[in-house]
Amino acid sequence: MLKHRGFPGRLPGTDFQFTIRRANKKDGPAKIIKRERYRDRKLADRKADEGFMAALWQCFGEEPFERGNLDAGRLSWLFGREVIPAEDPFDPESYEAMLRVNVKIAQVSFPAVFAADAEDVIWDDEDDGEDD
């Protein structure tokens, strides 16, 4: 499993996880699914989605990226809309699965991340996916 060095482990100041520490050798990778985001979601949940999108954009831009140690649950909130498969066939249960940011949809969903005056996020999070 590829570990994305420098990618934040979680949204700073919260328990919203962005990465996992180690591969699940017993049951295999968690499946990435498309989760429905309803309008009445909590502000904290929406901020976690925005923070995760900002980290994806800052780290990968428009380039395809390997799922690696990115959290399947967090990816699932964006999957099928802002994050889409970058390969066909796509295996949603593989750490090697290739994904990419769907820029047009992501810009509409998270305009602050893509604003001309948006600053790069400085992640002060100590848990950046490093090994224990």
Side-chain angles (χ1 to χ4, degrees):
M1 173 181 76
L2 173 69
K3 292 207 172 201
H4 294 290
R5 303 292 179 200
F7 198 92
R10 65 186 67 248
L11 183 64
T14 73
D15 287 331
F16 290 108
Q17 181 174 310
F18 287 176
T19 62
I20 58 174
R21 290 185 179 274
R22 61 190 64 80
N24 184 341
K25 294 183 178 165
K26 181 179 177 187
D27 299 323
K31 185 176 184 177
I32 300 172
I33 61 171
K34 182 179 179 180
R35 292 186 177 195
E36 199 60 43
R37 293 192 314 248
Y38 297 101
R39 292 190 182 274
D40 64 348
R41 285 181 75 213
K42 295 178 183 175
L43 177 61
D45 293 324
R46 293 192 314 261
K47 285 293 189 187
D49 291 344
E50 182 177 65
F52 189 64
M53 176 50 66
L56 289 173
W57 183 246
Q58 190 170 325
C59 289
F60 307 117
E62 295 185 59
E63 296 300 314
F65 57 91
E66 189 171 322
R67 170 188 174 175
N69 70 328
L70 298 177
D71 182 67
R74 186 56 46 204
L75 279 168
S76 290
W77 286 110
L78 305 179
F79 187 71
R81 294 172 295 266
E82 297 85 7
V83 175
I84 57 175
E87 61 188 358
D88 187 27
F90 176 74
D91 183 358
E93 295 184 75
S94 171
Y95 290 122
E96 290 81 32
M98 295 299 290
L99 301 160
R100 71 177 178 85
V101 172
N102 185 344
V103 179
K104 288 184 179 182
I105 301 295
Q107 286 174 327
V108 172
S109 299
F110 303 104
V113 172
F114 297 91
D117 60 349
E119 296 181 24
D120 280 346
V121 179
I122 299 173
W123 301 102
D124 60 357
D125 188 72
E126 294 178 15
D127 180 20
D128 66 354
E130 297 291 327
D131 287 332
D132 286 327

